[in-house]
């Protein structure tokens, strides 16, 4: 039997992956099972009504990037009927966030279709076996994760308070937000999951479950309709490839922007890590300037590009040629799994900040991808129908020929790529263990209007940083929640579990070393 190691958003999600491995599943099966549990057990951070991406790399054969990203709905609606069903919200989260929620913010979701296609193309077990752990979690209820609760403190009324079913799932009978660790029970969710297990992911798109969701959203003034769900298909693409030292790095290609941003940052830092195995003042400054250069290019060139692939190619050419100027002065979940045969699978899902919308009788929260300003530079409902939205998500696999394979990813909006580049360089360049690489303090360059500042955790060399700083008092989930796991034929499994978001790890299948 193949051994599988899984790192995911929570211990119960990782354990779900290990359970299907015990039944003979591989890394793809384990990643899908853990992702489905993550999607239902991290309220406010993800849902089955979200979307995402997967990177699957077999030991032999071609790797695949599977795009289950958000799509602009509105098929059959006159253009003048778009723009309804919106609720504008302001959250005092991460320094202040303006977003739009409500039924009008719901994009066509891809999460169920993505998981189904990963299982179909790369898994070994039946679909129903992969959904069963999520059914059990929904049946007994689950503890409200501390990271989710920290977000809901800001969002439980603004986003999740306007819909009766949504509000009931997160509050006690007196109307107070549930405490961290309190049991969450979502009415009708188990029934929906049993239907998905029995009929397959298609029931979410052209079956009774999809009809219930679409009819609710359209009935409340939103754009998502039955025709949008029926037309949705995940897309399989070759991954974006780059090299970093002796490692071949595979990540998410366009139309996502996360992968090209990560590749560009890695390219700017490749071969520049100082000797001695630790961060220096000059390295911290180099990292900050690399982040600023790439994130500025993203803001000015990528986010509103009509031809995103061409803009991404320009960014990578600028990195390779040395002409990219280095300037001088939550809601996502991720699962990583690798197995002892060398198969690696990384899946990232998001539902934005959450729309608060829950179709009656389904127990399924829906996304607010159309309400995130950074994903919709042309304005609310500004994309053409059928357009795939850009994304920060960057599930990634790195491999050495004949050696270890690493699956990695993170939640965290625009902090996804900055978190990943730091963990990867810590591990690949500085030689830190995977756990030490994840634990190491992080920084993130924020673009605020025309200014730049560096948000940073305690313990970093900061005197030489080229921009003003915004120090944090402690490690924070603002800087992501990296889930990393590797397998080396000579030493077994290694995991990196990010305490910033309460991640968990588990192993299933045949016994093997893990640390």
């Amino acid at each position: 039997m193949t051994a599988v190691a899984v790192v995911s958003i929570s211990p119960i999600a990782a354990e779900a992956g290990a359970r299907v491995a015990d039944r003979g599943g591989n890394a793809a099966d384990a990643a899908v099972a853990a992702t489905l549990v993550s999607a239902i057990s991290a309220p406010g951070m993800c849902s089955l009504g979200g979307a995402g991406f997967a990177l699957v790399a077999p030991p032999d054969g071609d790797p695949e990037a599977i795009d289950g990203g958000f799509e602009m709905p509105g098929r059959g609606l006159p253009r003048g009927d778009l723009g309804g069903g919106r609720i504008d919200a302001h959250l005092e989260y991460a320094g202040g966030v303006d977003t739009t929620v409500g039924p009008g913010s719901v994009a066509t979701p891809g999460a169920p279709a993505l998981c189904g296609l990963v299982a179909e193309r790369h898994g070994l077990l039946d679909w129903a076996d992969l959904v069963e752990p999520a059914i059990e979690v929904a049946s007994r209820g689950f503890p409200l994760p501390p990271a989710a609760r920290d977000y809901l403190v800001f969002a439980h009324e603004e986003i999740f308070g306007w819909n009766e079913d949504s509000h009931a799932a997160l509050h006690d009978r007196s109307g107070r937000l549930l405490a961290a660790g309190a049991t969450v029970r979502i009415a009708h969710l188990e029934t929906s999951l049993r239907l998905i297990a029995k009929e397959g992911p298609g029931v979410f798109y052209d079956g009774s479950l999809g009809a219930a969701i679409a009819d609710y959203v359209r009935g409340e003034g939103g754009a998502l309709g039955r025709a949008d769900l029926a037309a949705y298909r995940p897309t399989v693409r070759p991954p974006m490839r780059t090299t970093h030292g002796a490692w071949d790095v595979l990540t998410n290609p366009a139309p996502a922007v996360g992968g090209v941003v990560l590749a560009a940052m890695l390219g700017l830092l490749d071969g520049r890590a100082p000797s001695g195995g630790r961060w220096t003042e000059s390295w911290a400054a180099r990292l900050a300037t690399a982040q600023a250069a790439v994130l500025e290019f993203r803001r000015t060139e990528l986010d509103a590009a009509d031809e995103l692939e061409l803009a991404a190619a320009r960014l990578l050419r600028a990195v390779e040629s040395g002409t990219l100027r280095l300037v001088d002065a939550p809601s996502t979940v991720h699962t990583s799994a690798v197995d002892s045969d060398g198969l690696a699978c990384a899946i990232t899902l998001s539902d934005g900040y959450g729309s608060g919308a829950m179709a009656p009788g389904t127990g399924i929260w829906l996304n607010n991808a159309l309400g995130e300003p950074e994903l919709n530079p042309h304005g609310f409902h500004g994309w053409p129908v059928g357009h795939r939205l850009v994304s920060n998500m960057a599930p990634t696999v790195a491999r050495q020929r004949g050696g270890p394979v690493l699956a990695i990813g993170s939640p965290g909006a625009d902090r996804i790529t900055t978190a990943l580049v730091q963990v990867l360089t810590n591990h690949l360049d500085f030689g830190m263990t995977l756990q030490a690489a994840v634990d190491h303090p992080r920084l993130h360059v924020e673009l605020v209007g025309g200014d730049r500042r560096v948000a940073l955790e305690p313990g970093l060399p900061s005197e030489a940083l080229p921009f003003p700083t915004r120090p944090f008092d402690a490690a924070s989930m603002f800087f992501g929640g990296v889930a990393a796991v590797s397998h080396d034929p000579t030493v077994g499994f290694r995991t990196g579990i990010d305490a910033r978001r309460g991640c968990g790890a588990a192993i299933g299948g045949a016994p093997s070393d893990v640390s």
Side-chain angles (χ1 to χ4, degrees), residues 79-152:
R79 190 71 190 175
D81 289 351
L82 292 172
R86 65 181 292 168
I87 301 171
D88 293 325
H90 176 80
L91 308 181
E92 295 298 333
Y93 172 73
V97 173
D98 290 307
T99 191
T100 298
V101 300
S105 70
V106 179
T108 308
L114 170 70
C115 289
L117 193 58
V118 171
E120 176 187 332
R121 293 177 68 87
H122 299 283
L124 300 175
L125 300 183
D126 291 337
W127 171 252
D129 294 329
L130 307 186
V131 186
E132 183 179 337
I135 293 173
E136 294 181 6
V137 169
S139 176
R140 67 173 183 261
F142 56 87
L144 181 61
R149 211 274 179 177
D150 288 346
Y151 170 64
L152 290 170

Side-chain angles (χ1 to χ4, degrees), residues 136-276:
E136 294 181 6
V137 169
S139 176
R140 67 173 183 261
F142 56 87
L144 181 61
R149 211 274 179 177
D150 288 346
Y151 170 64
L152 290 170
V153 166
F154 300 98
H156 71 109
E157 289 294 350
E158 284 285 336
I159 294 179
F160 298 94
W162 63 268
N163 178 286
E164 183 177 349
D165 290 347
S166 182
H167 187 274
L170 298 174
H171 298 81
D172 62 22
R173 292 180 179 178
S174 69
R176 290 177 299 185
L177 177 65
L178 295 175
T183 300
V184 180
R185 292 184 174 88
I186 303 174
H188 311 295
L189 178 59
E190 180 186 353
T191 301
S192 292
L193 287 167
R194 290 191 182 278
L195 191 61
I196 292 170
K198 179 181 178 181
E199 299 189 20
V203 74
F204 198 96
Y205 295 91
D206 54 14
S208 59
L209 187 56
I213 291 170
D215 291 351
Y216 163 72
V217 173
R218 279 280 174 97
E220 296 296 319
L224 179 68
R226 294 191 186 194
D228 300 302
L229 289 171
Y232 188 88
R233 299 290 186 277
T235 302
V236 179
R237 298 186 176 90
M240 174 170 289
R241 289 179 177 266
T242 187
T243 58
H244 191 81
W247 291 80
D248 185 22
V249 180
L250 310 170
T251 190
N252 206 15
V257 298
V260 67
V261 167
L262 175 61
M265 289 180 185
L266 285 172
L268 288 173
L269 298 171
D270 195 17
R272 298 179 181 272
S275 59

Side-chain angles (χ1 to χ4, degrees), residues 373-459:
E374 64 271 24
L375 302 184
N376 298 275
H378 301 297
F380 188 66
H381 289 186
W383 291 113
V385 171
H387 178 85
R388 286 288 169 99
L389 275 62
V390 299
S391 172
N392 295 298
M393 291 180 270
T396 298
V397 171
R399 189 189 297 274
Q400 282 187 321
R401 185 179 298 275
V405 60
L406 165 68
I408 189 170
S410 178
D414 63 346
R415 282 92 64 200
I416 289 174
T417 50
T418 58
L420 293 181
V421 74
Q422 289 170 88
V423 174
L424 285 168
T425 54
N426 286 344
H427 184 55
L428 307 186
D429 296 332
F430 288 97
M432 298 181 195
T433 67
L434 203 50
Q435 188 60 60
V438 171
D439 290 340
H440 193 276
R442 295 178 195 154
L443 62 82
H444 171 75
V445 173
E446 300 176 288
L447 306 179
V448 185
D451 299 324
R452 305 172 186 89
R453 68 184 181 192
V454 182
L456 72 163
E457 295 178 324

